[in-house]
Amino acid sequence: MKKTKLFLLIFIVSALNFSAQTKPYVLLVSFDGFRWDYLNRGITPNLEKVRSEGASAMSFRPSFPSKTFPNHQSIITGMYPAHHGIYANSFLDQFNNETYRLGDSVSVTNAKWYLGEAFWETAERQGITTASYFWPGSEVKLSYRRPTYFQKYDHKLPYENRIEGVINWLKLPQEKRPHFITVYFHETDDIGHKFGPNSPECNKAIELLDGIAGRLLQQLDEIKMRDSVNVIFVSDHGMTEISKERVINIEKMLEGYNCKFLDESVLMTIEPPKDKVKTIYEILKKNENHYKVYLREEVPQYFHFNDNPLIPTLVVIPDLGWNVLSNKGAGRLKDDYFKGNHGYDNQQMDMHGIFLAAGPSFKNGYKTGTLWNIDVYPLLCKIFDIMPRANIDGKLERIEFILK
Ligand code: AMP
Ligand code: ZN
Ligand code: ZN
């Protein structure tokens, strides 16, 4: 090889290497159902350290409905659920008679349901390698819409293995190493549902996840990447106490009308027969007590829950801690009932989660009020200095002041 060609090659290789070295790293950690005030119980020393070292919010506002899939998608796309399409954990496309359901590996991997652009897609297109150790929507069967590295969701996979997976990705050689990684832990959600947010069991779950935070940071230390990785801890929503005494059987009020009840408990969606919409609406309106009923297009603007044609005609939103049920749901009350739930009005503080971030991009020891989860996507674009998708709901100006 001629000398000039060799120099050129060396130059290109070192330029590529330099750009990989200068690109930031972000590890986005989700603790499902970790309510904002769990941090104030005095049992989270590791997260407290992150709070004192980095930038943190008093609370993190989810989008409505405050459920898992809608909010993981809102965080990663910067869009409200009605806009990114995953407006519930499960829903029906009445036009094609197809169902999207959180537990169904066929529908969750079908890219057609995801109308937003996840950050990993935006990033990969602009030269950033990404990875996900679980995140709703990360397993779609369309390679350009998912991270380079991803894992099929396995609820039972021990938390240690998830941490190990993340650390192994960070140990890959520069040219293969992902710069954006997500990881997910469900403890506070599972236990919060089962025993309620104020139970001793819930405190154990909080301590366990705080330990996970500690181990993640310690292992970043061990591979000498603690100072170069921005670690962001978020949760998708909070949790509130519910009880068998605070339930309303909606179907009982509508007997003989042949309504379809498509979702229930913390948010009920109803499809009445076309010629009965007004009648059903009026019955529910007349009996309004501990819930509100709306035609889809009348759902208050601040929920951003109107403009998706798949959302059924009637929407019933219960007060915090109340449940609106069909006969089937009411029948299940005889069994052991959940003690906690979420999905309610996202303005309710009980539905708020956490946002804590530490690393080279974030201010140190900086505390602010409530941040919104739709603003994380533009924040990530800013950290990586890449172009965000245009039609998002998130706004950089509501969050960028936490950056250095
Ligand atoms: P929920 O509390 O009903 O809003 O949903 C929480 C549940 O979502 C968890 O217990 C998990 O079983 C499930 N889940 C979370 N992430 C994923 C994922 N990436 N794929 C499939 N299921 C998930
Ligand atoms: Zn959740
Ligand atoms: Zn949950």
Short mmCIF file of all heavy atoms in Angstrom, two decimals, residues 349-403:
data_model
loop_
_atom_site.label_atom_id
_atom_site.label_comp_id
_atom_site.label_asym_id
_atom_site.label_seq_id
_atom_site.Cartn_x
_atom_site.Cartn_y
_atom_site.Cartn_z
N MET A 349 -50.94 13.23 42.45
CA MET A 349 -49.55 12.99 42.87
C MET A 349 -49.27 11.50 43.10
O MET A 349 -48.15 11.04 42.89
CB MET A 349 -49.22 13.79 44.14
CG MET A 349 -49.05 15.28 43.89
SD MET A 349 -47.84 15.66 42.60
CE MET A 349 -46.30 15.28 43.42
N ASP A 350 -50.27 10.74 43.53
CA ASP A 350 -50.03 9.31 43.74
C ASP A 350 -49.63 8.59 42.44
O ASP A 350 -49.08 7.49 42.49
CB ASP A 350 -51.30 8.62 44.30
CG ASP A 350 -51.32 8.64 45.81
OD1 ASP A 350 -50.47 9.33 46.41
OD2 ASP A 350 -52.20 7.97 46.40
N MET A 351 -49.95 9.19 41.31
CA MET A 351 -49.59 8.56 40.03
C MET A 351 -48.19 8.98 39.56
O MET A 351 -47.69 8.47 38.57
CB MET A 351 -50.64 8.90 38.94
CG MET A 351 -52.00 8.32 39.22
SD MET A 351 -51.99 6.51 39.33
CE MET A 351 -52.13 6.25 41.11
N HIS A 352 -47.58 9.92 40.26
CA HIS A 352 -46.27 10.41 39.81
C HIS A 352 -45.14 9.45 40.19
O HIS A 352 -45.18 8.80 41.24
CB HIS A 352 -45.98 11.79 40.40
CG HIS A 352 -46.78 12.88 39.73
ND1 HIS A 352 -46.34 14.17 39.65
CD2 HIS A 352 -47.96 12.85 39.10
CE1 HIS A 352 -47.24 14.90 39.00
NE2 HIS A 352 -48.24 14.12 38.66
N GLY A 353 -44.13 9.42 39.36
CA GLY A 353 -42.98 8.55 39.57
C GLY A 353 -41.73 9.36 39.91
O GLY A 353 -41.81 10.48 40.43
N ILE A 354 -40.57 8.75 39.61
CA ILE A 354 -39.28 9.39 39.94
C ILE A 354 -38.49 9.74 38.69
O ILE A 354 -38.63 9.11 37.64
CB ILE A 354 -38.38 8.48 40.82
CG1 ILE A 354 -38.16 7.10 40.16
CG2 ILE A 354 -38.98 8.32 42.20
CD1 ILE A 354 -37.03 6.30 40.76
N PHE A 355 -37.66 10.75 38.83
CA PHE A 355 -36.66 11.08 37.80
C PHE A 355 -35.40 11.53 38.52
O PHE A 355 -35.41 12.55 39.22
CB PHE A 355 -37.16 12.20 36.88
CG PHE A 355 -36.14 12.58 35.84
CD1 PHE A 355 -36.20 12.05 34.55
CD2 PHE A 355 -35.08 13.44 36.14
CE1 PHE A 355 -35.24 12.38 33.59
CE2 PHE A 355 -34.11 13.76 35.19
CZ PHE A 355 -34.19 13.24 33.91
N LEU A 356 -34.33 10.76 38.39
CA LEU A 356 -33.03 11.11 38.98
C LEU A 356 -31.98 10.84 37.93
O LEU A 356 -32.00 9.79 37.29
CB LEU A 356 -32.69 10.21 40.17
CG LEU A 356 -33.70 9.97 41.28
CD1 LEU A 356 -33.29 8.76 42.10
CD2 LEU A 356 -33.75 11.18 42.17
N ALA A 357 -31.04 11.76 37.73
CA ALA A 357 -30.03 11.56 36.69
C ALA A 357 -28.68 12.04 37.17
O ALA A 357 -28.57 13.11 37.77
CB ALA A 357 -30.44 12.33 35.44
N ALA A 358 -27.67 11.22 36.93
CA ALA A 358 -26.31 11.63 37.32
C ALA A 358 -25.33 11.22 36.23
O ALA A 358 -25.51 10.20 35.58
CB ALA A 358 -25.93 10.98 38.64
N GLY A 359 -24.32 12.03 36.04
CA GLY A 359 -23.32 11.74 35.01
C GLY A 359 -22.80 13.03 34.41
O GLY A 359 -23.24 14.12 34.81
N PRO A 360 -21.90 12.89 33.42
CA PRO A 360 -21.21 14.08 32.90
C PRO A 360 -22.12 15.15 32.29
O PRO A 360 -21.76 16.32 32.29
CB PRO A 360 -20.27 13.50 31.84
CG PRO A 360 -20.74 12.12 31.58
CD PRO A 360 -21.43 11.65 32.81
N SER A 361 -23.30 14.76 31.80
CA SER A 361 -24.17 15.76 31.15
C SER A 361 -25.05 16.53 32.13
O SER A 361 -25.62 17.56 31.78
CB SER A 361 -25.08 15.08 30.12
OG SER A 361 -24.32 14.39 29.16
N PHE A 362 -25.19 16.01 33.35
CA PHE A 362 -26.18 16.60 34.27
C PHE A 362 -25.55 17.51 35.32
O PHE A 362 -24.42 17.29 35.76
CB PHE A 362 -26.98 15.47 34.96
CG PHE A 362 -27.86 14.73 34.00
CD1 PHE A 362 -27.45 13.53 33.43
CD2 PHE A 362 -29.08 15.26 33.62
CE1 PHE A 362 -28.24 12.85 32.52
CE2 PHE A 362 -29.88 14.59 32.70
CZ PHE A 362 -29.47 13.39 32.14
N LYS A 363 -26.33 18.50 35.71
CA LYS A 363 -25.90 19.39 36.80
C LYS A 363 -25.70 18.58 38.08
O LYS A 363 -26.34 17.53 38.25
CB LYS A 363 -26.95 20.48 37.04
CG LYS A 363 -26.94 21.55 35.97
CD LYS A 363 -27.95 22.63 36.31
CE LYS A 363 -27.92 23.71 35.23
NZ LYS A 363 -29.13 24.54 35.23
N ASN A 364 -24.88 19.08 38.95
CA ASN A 364 -24.62 18.37 40.20
C ASN A 364 -25.44 18.96 41.34
O ASN A 364 -25.50 20.17 41.49
CB ASN A 364 -23.13 18.46 40.56
CG ASN A 364 -22.26 17.91 39.45
OD1 ASN A 364 -21.50 18.64 38.82
ND2 ASN A 364 -22.41 16.64 39.16
N GLY A 365 -26.06 18.06 42.09
CA GLY A 365 -26.83 18.48 43.26
C GLY A 365 -27.92 19.47 42.90
O GLY A 365 -28.22 20.39 43.63
N TYR A 366 -28.56 19.27 41.73
CA TYR A 366 -29.58 20.20 41.25
C TYR A 366 -30.97 19.58 41.43
O TYR A 366 -31.22 18.47 40.96
CB TYR A 366 -29.32 20.51 39.77
CG TYR A 366 -30.26 21.53 39.20
CD1 TYR A 366 -30.03 22.89 39.37
CD2 TYR A 366 -31.39 21.14 38.48
CE1 TYR A 366 -30.90 23.83 38.84
CE2 TYR A 366 -32.27 22.07 37.96
CZ TYR A 366 -32.02 23.42 38.14
OH TYR A 366 -32.88 24.34 37.62
N LYS A 367 -31.83 20.31 42.11
CA LYS A 367 -33.19 19.76 42.34
C LYS A 367 -34.23 20.68 41.71
O LYS A 367 -34.12 21.90 41.83
CB LYS A 367 -33.46 19.64 43.83
CG LYS A 367 -32.58 18.60 44.51
CD LYS A 367 -33.02 18.38 45.95
CE LYS A 367 -32.25 17.26 46.61
NZ LYS A 367 -30.83 17.53 46.80
N THR A 368 -35.21 20.07 41.07
CA THR A 368 -36.28 20.87 40.47
C THR A 368 -37.64 20.26 40.84
O THR A 368 -37.69 19.25 41.54
CB THR A 368 -36.07 20.98 38.93
OG1 THR A 368 -37.05 21.87 38.41
CG2 THR A 368 -36.20 19.64 38.23
N GLY A 369 -38.71 20.88 40.36
CA GLY A 369 -40.06 20.41 40.73
C GLY A 369 -40.46 19.19 39.93
O GLY A 369 -39.70 18.25 39.78
N THR A 370 -41.68 19.23 39.37
CA THR A 370 -42.17 18.08 38.61
C THR A 370 -41.71 18.15 37.16
O THR A 370 -41.87 19.19 36.52
CB THR A 370 -43.71 18.06 38.69
OG1 THR A 370 -44.09 17.87 40.06
CG2 THR A 370 -44.30 16.93 37.85
N LEU A 371 -41.13 17.07 36.65
CA LEU A 371 -40.82 16.99 35.22
C LEU A 371 -41.86 16.09 34.56
O LEU A 371 -42.51 15.28 35.23
CB LEU A 371 -39.41 16.43 35.01
CG LEU A 371 -38.25 17.31 35.48
CD1 LEU A 371 -36.91 16.59 35.31
CD2 LEU A 371 -38.21 18.66 34.73
N TRP A 372 -42.01 16.23 33.24
CA TRP A 372 -43.00 15.44 32.50
C TRP A 372 -42.31 14.34 31.69
O TRP A 372 -41.27 14.60 31.07
CB TRP A 372 -43.78 16.34 31.52
CG TRP A 372 -44.64 17.36 32.18
CD1 TRP A 372 -44.68 17.66 33.52
CD2 TRP A 372 -45.57 18.23 31.53
NE1 TRP A 372 -45.60 18.65 33.75
CE2 TRP A 372 -46.15 19.02 32.54
CE3 TRP A 372 -45.96 18.40 30.21
CZ2 TRP A 372 -47.11 19.99 32.25
CZ3 TRP A 372 -46.92 19.36 29.92
CH2 TRP A 372 -47.50 20.15 30.94
N ASN A 373 -42.91 13.17 31.65
CA ASN A 373 -42.20 12.07 30.99
C ASN A 373 -42.09 12.22 29.47
O ASN A 373 -41.17 11.69 28.88
CB ASN A 373 -42.73 10.69 31.43
CG ASN A 373 -44.06 10.31 30.85
OD1 ASN A 373 -44.72 11.09 30.17
ND2 ASN A 373 -44.47 9.08 31.13
N ILE A 374 -42.98 12.99 28.86
CA ILE A 374 -42.87 13.18 27.40
C ILE A 374 -41.65 14.03 27.02
O ILE A 374 -41.28 14.10 25.85
CB ILE A 374 -44.13 13.84 26.80
CG1 ILE A 374 -44.52 15.08 27.62
CG2 ILE A 374 -45.29 12.85 26.70
CD1 ILE A 374 -45.55 15.94 26.96
N ASP A 375 -41.02 14.67 28.02
CA ASP A 375 -39.88 15.54 27.71
C ASP A 375 -38.53 14.80 27.72
O ASP A 375 -37.50 15.40 27.40
CB ASP A 375 -39.85 16.72 28.69
CG ASP A 375 -41.10 17.59 28.55
OD1 ASP A 375 -41.71 17.59 27.46
OD2 ASP A 375 -41.48 18.25 29.54
N VAL A 376 -38.55 13.53 28.08
CA VAL A 376 -37.27 12.79 28.14
C VAL A 376 -36.70 12.56 26.73
O VAL A 376 -35.49 12.65 26.53
CB VAL A 376 -37.46 11.44 28.90
CG1 VAL A 376 -36.27 10.52 28.71
CG2 VAL A 376 -37.67 11.73 30.38
N TYR A 377 -37.57 12.28 25.77
CA TYR A 377 -37.08 12.01 24.40
C TYR A 377 -36.29 13.21 23.84
O TYR A 377 -35.15 13.04 23.39
CB TYR A 377 -38.26 11.61 23.50
CG TYR A 377 -37.94 11.55 22.02
CD1 TYR A 377 -37.56 10.35 21.42
CD2 TYR A 377 -38.01 12.69 21.22
CE1 TYR A 377 -37.27 10.29 20.06
CE2 TYR A 377 -37.71 12.64 19.86
CZ TYR A 377 -37.34 11.44 19.29
OH TYR A 377 -37.05 11.40 17.94
N PRO A 378 -36.86 14.44 23.90
CA PRO A 378 -36.04 15.56 23.41
C PRO A 378 -34.78 15.78 24.25
O PRO A 378 -33.75 16.21 23.72
CB PRO A 378 -36.97 16.77 23.48
CG PRO A 378 -38.15 16.36 24.28
CD PRO A 378 -38.24 14.87 24.21
N LEU A 379 -34.85 15.45 25.55
CA LEU A 379 -33.65 15.57 26.40
C LEU A 379 -32.55 14.63 25.90
O LEU A 379 -31.38 15.02 25.79
CB LEU A 379 -34.00 15.24 27.85
CG LEU A 379 -32.84 15.32 28.84
CD1 LEU A 379 -32.58 16.78 29.24
CD2 LEU A 379 -33.10 14.50 30.10
N LEU A 380 -32.94 13.39 25.58
CA LEU A 380 -31.95 12.42 25.09
C LEU A 380 -31.34 12.90 23.77
O LEU A 380 -30.14 12.79 23.55
CB LEU A 380 -32.61 11.04 24.89
CG LEU A 380 -33.09 10.33 26.17
CD1 LEU A 380 -33.93 9.11 25.82
CD2 LEU A 380 -31.89 9.93 27.03
N CYS A 381 -32.19 13.44 22.90
CA CYS A 381 -31.68 13.96 21.61
C CYS A 381 -30.66 15.07 21.86
O CYS A 381 -29.64 15.15 21.17
CB CYS A 381 -32.82 14.48 20.74
SG CYS A 381 -33.88 13.15 20.15
N LYS A 382 -30.93 15.90 22.84
CA LYS A 382 -30.02 17.01 23.16
C LYS A 382 -28.69 16.46 23.68
O LYS A 382 -27.61 16.91 23.27
CB LYS A 382 -30.69 17.91 24.22
CG LYS A 382 -29.83 19.04 24.72
CD LYS A 382 -29.75 20.16 23.70
CE LYS A 382 -28.88 21.29 24.21
NZ LYS A 382 -28.65 22.31 23.18
N ILE A 383 -28.77 15.48 24.58
CA ILE A 383 -27.53 14.90 25.14
C ILE A 383 -26.66 14.33 24.02
O ILE A 383 -25.45 14.52 24.00
CB ILE A 383 -27.86 13.81 26.19
CG1 ILE A 383 -28.53 14.44 27.42
CG2 ILE A 383 -26.60 13.05 26.61
CD1 ILE A 383 -29.05 13.43 28.44
N PHE A 384 -27.29 13.64 23.06
CA PHE A 384 -26.53 13.02 21.98
C PHE A 384 -26.30 13.97 20.79
O PHE A 384 -25.68 13.59 19.82
CB PHE A 384 -27.23 11.74 21.49
CG PHE A 384 -27.05 10.57 22.42
CD1 PHE A 384 -28.00 10.26 23.38
CD2 PHE A 384 -25.90 9.80 22.35
CE1 PHE A 384 -27.83 9.19 24.24
CE2 PHE A 384 -25.71 8.72 23.21
CZ PHE A 384 -26.68 8.42 24.16
N ASP A 385 -26.86 15.17 20.89
CA ASP A 385 -26.73 16.17 19.83
C ASP A 385 -27.22 15.62 18.48
O ASP A 385 -26.52 15.67 17.48
CB ASP A 385 -25.26 16.63 19.73
CG ASP A 385 -25.14 17.88 18.86
OD1 ASP A 385 -26.14 18.58 18.70
OD2 ASP A 385 -24.04 18.13 18.33
N ILE A 386 -28.44 15.04 18.51
CA ILE A 386 -29.03 14.52 17.27
C ILE A 386 -30.40 15.17 17.06
O ILE A 386 -30.96 15.76 17.97
CB ILE A 386 -29.16 12.97 17.28
CG1 ILE A 386 -30.00 12.50 18.48
CG2 ILE A 386 -27.79 12.32 17.29
CD1 ILE A 386 -30.27 11.00 18.47
N MET A 387 -30.93 15.03 15.85
CA MET A 387 -32.20 15.66 15.50
C MET A 387 -33.38 14.83 16.03
O MET A 387 -33.49 13.65 15.73
CB MET A 387 -32.34 15.74 13.97
CG MET A 387 -31.33 16.62 13.30
SD MET A 387 -31.53 18.33 13.77
CE MET A 387 -33.05 18.70 12.92
N PRO A 388 -34.28 15.46 16.80
CA PRO A 388 -35.47 14.71 17.23
C PRO A 388 -36.49 14.61 16.10
O PRO A 388 -36.43 15.40 15.15
CB PRO A 388 -36.02 15.58 18.36
CG PRO A 388 -35.52 16.95 18.09
CD PRO A 388 -34.25 16.84 17.28
N ARG A 389 -37.41 13.68 16.20
CA ARG A 389 -38.53 13.64 15.25
C ARG A 389 -39.38 14.89 15.48
O ARG A 389 -39.47 15.40 16.60
CB ARG A 389 -39.33 12.37 15.52
CG ARG A 389 -40.43 12.17 14.51
CD ARG A 389 -41.06 10.82 14.71
NE ARG A 389 -42.49 10.90 14.44
CZ ARG A 389 -43.22 9.88 14.04
NH1 ARG A 389 -42.68 8.69 13.90
NH2 ARG A 389 -44.50 10.02 13.81
N ALA A 390 -39.99 15.38 14.41
CA ALA A 390 -40.65 16.69 14.48
C ALA A 390 -41.97 16.71 15.26
O ALA A 390 -42.24 17.63 16.01
CB ALA A 390 -40.88 17.21 13.08
N ASN A 391 -42.79 15.70 15.09
CA ASN A 391 -44.17 15.81 15.60
C ASN A 391 -44.37 15.28 17.01
O ASN A 391 -45.38 14.66 17.30
CB ASN A 391 -45.12 15.08 14.64
CG ASN A 391 -44.78 13.61 14.56
OD1 ASN A 391 -43.69 13.21 14.94
ND2 ASN A 391 -45.70 12.80 14.08
N ILE A 392 -43.41 15.54 17.89
CA ILE A 392 -43.54 15.01 19.26
C ILE A 392 -44.31 16.00 20.14
O ILE A 392 -44.47 17.17 19.80
CB ILE A 392 -42.16 14.71 19.88
CG1 ILE A 392 -41.27 15.95 19.89
CG2 ILE A 392 -41.49 13.56 19.16
CD1 ILE A 392 -40.05 15.82 20.76
N ASP A 393 -44.77 15.51 21.31
CA ASP A 393 -45.45 16.37 22.27
C ASP A 393 -44.46 16.95 23.29
O ASP A 393 -44.74 17.96 23.92
CB ASP A 393 -46.52 15.57 23.03
CG ASP A 393 -47.58 15.02 22.10
OD1 ASP A 393 -48.20 15.84 21.37
OD2 ASP A 393 -47.80 13.79 22.06
N GLY A 394 -43.34 16.28 23.49
CA GLY A 394 -42.35 16.71 24.47
C GLY A 394 -41.70 18.02 24.07
O GLY A 394 -41.64 18.36 22.89
N LYS A 395 -41.24 18.76 25.09
CA LYS A 395 -40.59 20.05 24.82
C LYS A 395 -39.29 20.13 25.59
O LYS A 395 -39.26 20.02 26.82
CB LYS A 395 -41.51 21.19 25.27
CG LYS A 395 -42.70 21.39 24.36
CD LYS A 395 -43.32 22.76 24.61
CE LYS A 395 -44.23 23.23 23.50
NZ LYS A 395 -45.14 22.27 22.95
N LEU A 396 -38.21 20.38 24.83
CA LEU A 396 -36.89 20.46 25.44
C LEU A 396 -36.81 21.58 26.47
O LEU A 396 -36.19 21.43 27.53
CB LEU A 396 -35.84 20.68 24.32
CG LEU A 396 -34.39 20.71 24.78
CD1 LEU A 396 -33.98 19.40 25.44
CD2 LEU A 396 -33.47 21.02 23.59
N GLU A 397 -37.49 22.70 26.19
CA GLU A 397 -37.36 23.85 27.11
C GLU A 397 -37.95 23.59 28.49
O GLU A 397 -37.66 24.31 29.43
CB GLU A 397 -37.92 25.14 26.49
CG GLU A 397 -39.36 25.08 26.05
CD GLU A 397 -39.53 24.67 24.59
OE1 GLU A 397 -38.70 23.87 24.08
OE2 GLU A 397 -40.49 25.13 23.95
N ARG A 398 -38.77 22.54 28.62
CA ARG A 398 -39.33 22.23 29.94
C ARG A 398 -38.37 21.41 30.80
O ARG A 398 -38.64 21.15 31.96
CB ARG A 398 -40.65 21.44 29.79
CG ARG A 398 -41.88 22.30 29.56
CD ARG A 398 -43.14 21.48 29.76
NE ARG A 398 -43.21 20.34 28.86
CZ ARG A 398 -44.12 20.18 27.89
NH1 ARG A 398 -45.07 21.09 27.72
NH2 ARG A 398 -44.11 19.13 27.12
N ILE A 399 -37.25 20.96 30.18
CA ILE A 399 -36.38 20.03 30.92
C ILE A 399 -34.88 20.33 30.77
O ILE A 399 -34.10 19.94 31.63
CB ILE A 399 -36.70 18.57 30.48
CG1 ILE A 399 -36.15 17.55 31.50
CG2 ILE A 399 -36.23 18.26 29.09
CD1 ILE A 399 -36.65 16.13 31.32
N GLU A 400 -34.48 21.06 29.74
CA GLU A 400 -33.04 21.13 29.43
C GLU A 400 -32.22 21.84 30.51
O GLU A 400 -31.00 21.69 30.56
CB GLU A 400 -32.77 21.76 28.06
CG GLU A 400 -33.11 23.22 27.96
CD GLU A 400 -32.77 23.77 26.57
OE1 GLU A 400 -31.89 23.21 25.90
OE2 GLU A 400 -33.41 24.76 26.18
N PHE A 401 -32.88 22.59 31.40
CA PHE A 401 -32.15 23.31 32.44
C PHE A 401 -31.49 22.37 33.45
O PHE A 401 -30.71 22.80 34.28
CB PHE A 401 -33.07 24.30 33.17
CG PHE A 401 -34.35 23.68 33.66
CD1 PHE A 401 -34.37 22.99 34.86
CD2 PHE A 401 -35.52 23.77 32.90
CE1 PHE A 401 -35.53 22.39 35.31
CE2 PHE A 401 -36.69 23.15 33.34
CZ PHE A 401 -36.70 22.47 34.54
N ILE A 402 -31.78 21.07 33.38
CA ILE A 402 -31.10 20.13 34.29
C ILE A 402 -29.74 19.71 33.74
O ILE A 402 -28.97 19.06 34.43
CB ILE A 402 -31.96 18.88 34.61
CG1 ILE A 402 -32.18 18.02 33.36
CG2 ILE A 402 -33.30 19.28 35.22
CD1 ILE A 402 -32.85 16.69 33.66
N LEU A 403 -29.49 20.08 32.47
CA LEU A 403 -28.19 19.73 31.86
C LEU A 403 -27.14 20.78 32.22
O LEU A 403 -27.46 21.93 32.46
CB LEU A 403 -28.32 19.63 30.33
CG LEU A 403 -29.25 18.54 29.81
CD1 LEU A 403 -29.39 18.66 28.29
CD2 LEU A 403 -28.73 17.15 30.17
#
